[in-house]
Amino acid sequence: MSAELDPGAEHPDPRTLVPLTVERVLLALAMGAMALITAANVVTRYLTDVSLAITEEYSVVLMVIVALIGSALAIACGRHIRIGYFTDLLSPAWRRRAEVLALLLSIVCFGLLVVFGADLAYDEYRFEVLSNGLANPQWLYTGWLPLLALLVIARAAGRIIRLARGEDG
């Protein structure tokens, strides 16, 4: 099996302005927090027969954070989900063009998340919407969507620049 198709194979990080270690640390922190919250819920339920239902609110937000940061990391490294059968039939120049097109479409998609997510977060702030479980301001949770979508856009734009320079490929 070639290293390109082996997900466990070592892939060098692309040279980026902001190191990808930032995303990896944030991912580790978010996943560690999810593990601690879930463990606390299990232990509490086992010892007291009472579930910490409020932990679900934080777990859901952390899952969204993990998904978006993971998307940014995957796009920056060129490891995002793709259908390679057809693009593998293309010449390297056309493959690069197809990659740029896919990244531009990703930027459009995440741009929509920025616009509509920011609008949603602002409405929740303006109307003082509270979360169901803990009665926290809901915009504190929703606000992560447009912010992290901007991170994905920045990583996609960086990859387009690297592809145009011939650094990634």
Side-chain angles (χ1 to χ4, degrees), residues 2-26:
S2 73
E4 183 179 311
L5 299 177
D6 183 7
E10 280 296 314
H11 297 281
D13 282 347
R15 291 180 9 171
T16 57
L17 189 60
V18 177
L20 296 176
T21 306
V22 173
E23 277 97 334
R24 288 191 174 102
V25 168
L26 291 174

Side-chain angles (χ1 to χ4, degrees), residues 87-98 169:
T87 56
D88 289 346
L89 299 174
L90 301 173
S91 68
W94 279 102
R95 236 181 280 150
R96 189 179 322 248
R97 289 180 187 123

Side-chain angles (χ1 to χ4, degrees), residues 135-156:
N136 288 332
Q138 185 67 33
W139 66 269
L140 292 173
Y141 304 136
T142 311
W144 287 105
L145 177 67
L147 290 175
L148 293 175
L150 282 173
L151 173 65
V152 176
I153 289 170
R155 289 301 189 183

Side-chain angles (χ1 to χ4, degrees), residues 9-163:
E10 280 296 314
H11 297 281
D13 282 347
R15 291 180 9 171
T16 57
L17 189 60
V18 177
L20 296 176
T21 306
V22 173
E23 277 97 334
R24 288 191 174 102
V25 168
L26 291 174
L27 278 172
L29 291 173
M31 291 184 74
M34 281 193 315
L36 288 174
I37 289 169
T38 303
N41 190 17
V42 169
V43 168
T44 303
R45 192 172 0 150
Y46 179 74
L47 295 176
T48 65
D49 287 332
V50 175
S51 177
L52 293 176
I54 59 172
T55 60
E56 181 183 342
E57 198 168 289
Y58 293 127
S59 293
V60 168
V61 171
L62 287 169
M63 282 187 250
V64 170
I65 289 172
V66 165
L68 288 170
I69 293 174
S71 296
L73 186 60
I75 281 183
C77 294
R79 307 274 298 160
H80 53 285
I81 295 174
R82 66 182 92 209
I83 301 173
Y85 176 77
F86 295 108
T87 56
D88 289 346
L89 299 174
L90 301 173
S91 68
W94 279 102
R95 236 181 280 150
R96 189 179 322 248
R97 289 180 187 123
E99 175 82 11
V100 169
L101 177 63
L103 290 167
L104 288 171
L105 291 172
S106 295
I107 288 173
V108 169
C109 177
F110 282 96
L112 291 170
L113 283 177
V114 169
V115 171
F116 291 114
D119 189 45
L120 175 63
Y122 176 69
D123 280 349
E124 290 176 343
Y125 172 78
R126 187 171 50 141
F127 295 116
E128 299 178 0
V129 177
L130 301 177
S131 64
N132 291 331
L134 299 173
N136 288 332
Q138 185 67 33
W139 66 269
L140 292 173
Y141 304 136
T142 311
W144 287 105
L145 177 67
L147 290 175
L148 293 175
L150 282 173
L151 173 65
V152 176
I153 289 170
R155 289 301 189 183
R159 179 143 172 86
I160 289 172
I161 291 168
R162 289 191 307 277
L163 285 169

